[in-house]
Amino acid sequence: MHSLAAAKTSSLSPYFWGLGAFFGTLALTLHHLTAQALHLPRPAVVGEPASYHWNVSCSKQYEPFVRGCHKRHKCGRAVRDAFISQDDVMALREIAELGMQGRSMLGGPTIMDINTGFVKDANGLTNLYRADPPMKFTKKQFDLYKRTIESIRNALMEEFELAKLYFTAPTFITRIIGNSSWTAAEIHDEYWHPHVDKNNTFHYDYSGLVYLSDYGIDFTGGLFAFIDEKTNHTFEPARGRLMMFNSGMENLHQVRPVETGTRYVMSMWFSCDERKQFKNFFDGKMHQHFTRDD
Ligand SMILES: O=C(O)CCC(=O)C(=O)O
Ligand SMILES: [Fe+2]
């Protein structure tokens, strides 16, 4: 009995050792693979409509859970290149420049929301539609802005297989000017901090960013990075590139400091909460209320 057990053990042990070594190597490989940082460069061919999708485990932040919009198991990140045309990129940049004219060019961020009219930089907060004379965007400009938002909403619904999704507020175009001698006067200007969008604004469920400038050409620094447990994944902003992700804790991220040049991004957020739907007004008036609050 004893010897049989010993014989069994000795004949099985090479098998177990082999299995152990196999799974050990597999675990190491998987660890290596998951720990390996992804870096997505600017598209090699401008205008090429490439797309990428990564799955991540959903956080448990999506309460109250909205069926057809929130997901328990399918959270992720996605990128689409050449999502908007180079002409639309230029026209959106023109909107940003018009709204931000006269604002600080010394460095740091300026944010503008053409829906509410607010513009904010280190010098303070003003409203485009309350200025004298009030800022007037053309119908063509408002239509482009609306169309871009609607196409981001549709792309998110397609990418994450959603039955409903509402455009919400606040949303911005952000211009960041890189200047090594600039220092932030207040914490709000320190745009590089790792953050979770939903922790800043609870009704945000999906984030959609359209880049309006090219990393390495229009500016240096300013990479976008997802910060995961084992590693960071970096993405080079590129004109017309759309970045989409769930806004919760599964997607902790940061914008790295812009070193030189000017970086533009249109940042839009979408909610599963119908009460937080922001009507896509864009009529040159100052709107501050969610549709249901009006
Ligand atoms: O500009 C970017 O790449 C990201 C901006 C961002 O994370 C935010 O506005 O919450
Ligand atoms: Fe963010």
Side-chain angles (χ1 to χ4, degrees):
M1 192 59 192
H2 207 93
S3 60
L4 185 66
K8 246 188 174 168
T9 314
S10 63
S11 70
L12 280 178
S13 47
Y15 172 74
F16 278 118
W17 278 115
L19 214 58
F22 172 75
F23 280 113
T25 314
L26 188 69
L28 271 174
T29 313
L30 283 177
H31 176 84
H32 182 70
L33 280 180
T34 52
Q36 204 160 53
L38 169 91
H39 176 80
L40 191 70
R42 262 190 298 124
V45 182
V46 175
E48 194 174 62
S51 63
Y52 311 85
H53 189 107
W54 299 262
N55 293 324
V56 291
S57 308
C58 300
S59 63
K60 301 222 163 15
Q61 246 182 325
Y62 300 103
E63 295 295 338
F65 190 85
V66 179
R67 274 174 79 93
C69 189
H70 287 138
K71 295 279 162 164
R72 289 197 205 282
H73 306 291
K74 274 184 139 178
C75 287
R77 304 153 183 181
V79 172
R80 290 194 192 177
D81 283 329
F83 179 72
I84 62 170
S85 70
Q86 295 298 309
D87 285 350
D88 284 357
V89 166
M90 290 319 294
L92 287 164
R93 281 174 64 131
E94 223 171 277
I95 293 175
E97 280 311 319
L98 269 175
M100 294 180 192
Q101 64 192 347
R103 309 306 300 216
S104 172
M105 295 298 286
L106 297 175
T110 301
I111 62 173
M112 171 179 89
D113 178 359
I114 70 165
N115 221 342
T116 61
F118 284 108
V119 182
K120 189 182 176 309
D121 68 2
N123 297 331
L125 184 73
T126 52
N127 196 289
L128 294 173
Y129 307 133
R130 284 185 166 176
D132 188 16
M135 177 73 219
K136 283 202 183 341
F137 293 109
T138 63
K139 181 171 181 316
K140 201 172 157 205
Q141 287 172 320
F142 279 127
D143 285 348
L144 167 64
Y145 212 88
K146 269 190 205 179
R147 178 160 51 81
T148 310
I149 290 172
E150 194 49 20
S151 49
I152 302 172
R153 193 177 71 86
N154 286 327
L156 276 161
M157 289 178 70
E158 185 188 272
E159 196 71 43
F160 294 102
E161 297 168 15
L162 313 179
K164 53 186 143 191
L165 186 63
Y166 307 101
F167 170 60
T168 192
T171 60
F172 319 99
I173 288 187
T174 305
R175 177 180 75 188
I176 304 175
I177 297 177
N179 178 354
S180 57
S181 54
W182 172 81
T183 48
E186 53 165 316
I187 187 111
H188 282 116
D189 293 329
E190 296 181 3
Y191 58 85
W192 52 83
H193 290 291
H195 64 276
V196 168
D197 292 350
K198 196 172 180 61
N199 290 359
N200 295 340
T201 306
F202 186 73
H203 63 267
Y204 287 171
D205 288 307
Y206 291 89
S207 310
L209 308 166
V210 178
Y211 292 103
L212 306 176
S213 45
D214 281 326
Y215 170 86
I217 298 177
D218 298 312
F219 62 93
T220 60
L223 285 176
F224 177 95
F226 285 113
I227 300 163
D228 291 331
E229 218 170 280
K230 295 196 179 80
T231 189
N232 295 345
H233 304 290
T234 45
F235 298 78
E236 296 182 6
R239 292 178 183 222
R241 170 173 274 187
L242 170 67
M243 162 77 83
M244 300 175 271
F245 51 93
N246 302 80
S247 306
M249 283 187 293
E250 60 281 305
N251 283 319
L252 176 68
H253 60 276
Q254 74 177 138
V255 179
R256 301 259 175 91
V258 176
E259 287 156 11
T260 60
T262 307
R263 181 191 195 269
Y264 292 91
V265 62
M266 184 171 168
S267 317
M268 301 288 125
W269 285 276
F270 300 84
S271 181
C272 294
D273 184 346
E274 198 181 349
R275 293 166 308 174
K276 295 295 182 188
Q277 179 171 20
F278 202 89
K279 192 163 170 262
N280 213 332
F281 300 100
F282 299 109
D283 53 7
K285 297 198 188 90
M286 184 176 144
H287 292 284
Q288 284 187 280
H289 300 288
F290 296 107
T291 317
R292 291 290 173 97
D293 299 334
D294 280 354

